[in-house]
Amino acid sequence: MYFAALLARTEDGWEASDTELDDVETLSDLADLAREASPDEDTVLVLIEQEDSWFGVVRVDGEEDPRIYVSDAAAAARSAYGELLLTDELLGREPGADDGPDLDALDLDGTEDGESEDEDEEDGAEDDAVPHSPVGDSQILDDLGIGVKELRALDADDALNSIAEALGASEVLETVR
């Protein structure tokens, strides 16, 4: 189960809105959606969670590039919304590099049952490409009162509520939940 919301900072505090990410295909689309929530180019946070698995925060400040934090990259990589956030840059990959198997190099002669140890090692290397740890800008919420230690200590099942509470926006977030 996924939940996604926008928190836009205004002169009067934070405003929350539930958001559908079905039409969002890229990080750029997500940043544009966030910018639409704040006509005054104030800070907008896109909060995304997959219950008990991972959470992500995308921060958009006006026309600046979005800043991203994902609590568990490997868990997020297994979800469509997580894949939006896990850019090559965020994962420390060469942009445009294809980390998947070379399908032309596979020998599909029907003897796949007896895979060699070399193939097992390659599979392990692919698993290591996306770490089971936080990735991104862990200082994303520092100036809003949530330091690196606090952010990394958040549990995926209650992270968004904890973030909203620290921002003084728990009531507005609860209205869209």
Side-chain angles (χ1 to χ4, degrees):
M1 173 128 192
Y2 291 96
F3 173 73
L6 296 172
L7 281 180
R9 185 164 50 182
T10 67
E11 291 178 7
D12 301 326
W14 292 93
E15 290 182 7
S17 57
D18 188 12
T19 188
E20 281 295 323
L21 299 180
D22 293 339
D23 295 332
V24 175
E25 295 180 8
T26 66
L27 180 59
S28 180
D29 292 344
L30 186 61
D32 290 343
L33 182 69
R35 287 183 184 104
E36 290 172 12
S38 178
D40 296 330
E41 296 189 5
D42 286 324
T43 298
V44 178
L45 301 176
V46 181
L47 305 174
I48 303 171
E49 70 180 0
Q50 181 180 5
E51 192 172 290
D52 298 332
S53 183
W54 66 275
F55 71 93
V57 179
V58 178
R59 179 175 177 162
V60 178
D61 293 302
E63 291 300 317
E64 293 181 28
D65 287 341
R67 295 167 57 192
I68 305 165
Y69 175 83
V70 176
S71 66
D72 183 336
R78 292 187 296 270
S79 76
Y81 297 142
E83 286 181 350
L84 276 174
L85 307 180
L86 298 174
T87 63
D88 287 338
E89 181 181 341
L90 194 70
L91 295 172
R93 296 181 186 159
E94 192 66 33
D98 182 14
D99 290 347
D102 182 2
L103 297 179
D104 293 331
L106 292 178
D107 183 14
L108 301 176
D109 63 359
T111 60
E112 289 78 29
D113 292 338
E115 293 179 352
S116 72
E117 289 180 28
D118 292 339
E119 291 176 25
D120 290 341
E121 288 175 13
E122 286 177 23
D123 289 344
E126 281 185 37
D127 290 343
D128 292 341
V130 180
H132 286 276
S133 62
V135 295
D137 185 351
S138 55
Q139 297 177 346
I140 193 169
L141 302 173
D142 263 0
D143 64 325
L144 299 175
I146 302 170
V148 174
K149 288 181 182 179
E150 293 89 355
L151 185 61
R152 288 183 177 248
L154 293 175
D155 289 326
D157 61 341
D158 194 42
L160 301 191
N161 289 334
S162 298
I163 291 169
E165 188 174 316
L167 298 174
S170 56
E171 287 182 21
V172 294
L173 182 63
E174 195 58 38
T175 62
V176 297
R177 224 181 232 284

